[in-house]
């Protein structure tokens, strides 16, 4: 991959990382413990807990994506970016365009 393309993917990864960090810091409170407020009904409490669970799941996914992005940026520095972690074949740029943090090629995914 040439330097221009690498710079492009680095930019994608960095802006993704910024987005995720902003999301993680803004969603901290909503993922907190649902207070067992007796003034809300049982159903809305279940709703609140379900929402909380979804928020926590989303945060968990975003965190692991952020880790993958950090690793991808390291691979750019090491010169192994865009190479499949399993078969060592180059990952297609279309695939990287859609998921710049991806580690495997389409055959190994
Ligand atoms: Zn592969």
């Amino acid at each position: 991959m040439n330097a221009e393309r690498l710079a492009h993917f680095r930019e994608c990864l960095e802006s993704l990382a910024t987005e995720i960090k902003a999301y993680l810091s803004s969603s901290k409170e909503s993922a907190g413990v649902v207070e067992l407020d007796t003034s809300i009904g049982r159903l809305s409490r279940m709703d609140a807990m379900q929402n909380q669970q979804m928020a926590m799941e989303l945060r968990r996914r975003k965190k692991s994506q952020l880790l993958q992005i950090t690793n991808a940026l390291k691979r750019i520095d090491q010169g192994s970016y865009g190479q499949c972690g399993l078969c060592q074949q180059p990952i297609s740029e279309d695939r990287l365009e859609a998921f710049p943090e991806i580690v495997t090629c389409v055959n190994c995914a």
Side-chain angles (χ1 to χ4, degrees):
M1 196 183 293
N2 65 40
E4 204 177 300
R5 297 300 290 158
L6 270 180
H8 162 76
F9 285 117
R10 183 193 291 275
E11 228 169 84
C12 292
L13 287 161
E14 280 170 355
S15 76
L16 261 176
T18 308
E19 251 173 59
I20 293 176
K21 280 176 194 162
Y23 170 79
L24 288 175
S25 63
S26 75
S27 67
K28 241 172 218 158
E29 273 102 74
S30 64
V33 180
V34 170
E35 285 184 36
L36 292 177
D37 186 349
T38 44
S39 71
I40 62 171
R42 183 179 139 77
L43 278 179
S44 42
R45 200 155 59 225
M46 280 173 65
D47 255 7
M49 283 166 75
Q50 210 162 37
N51 286 343
Q52 183 194 341
Q53 216 132 59
M54 275 165 54
M56 281 170 67
E57 171 62 20
L58 189 61
R59 278 175 64 81
R60 200 186 56 75
R61 279 210 303 264
K62 294 272 183 194
K63 273 187 193 162
S64 78
Q65 197 190 2
L66 186 58
L67 191 69
Q68 287 178 329
I69 290 170
T70 310
N71 287 336
L73 285 166
K74 273 186 206 152
R75 290 198 300 278
I76 290 182
D77 290 336
Q78 292 163 355
S80 60
Y81 181 73
Q83 208 177 25
C84 174
L86 294 175
C87 69
Q88 318 301 322
Q89 293 301 303
I91 302 172
S92 83
E93 292 199 13
D94 285 349
R95 186 167 164 77
L96 289 170
E97 206 65 70
F99 311 102
E101 75 280 19
I102 206 99
V103 187
T104 50
C105 74
V106 71
N107 295 324
C108 298

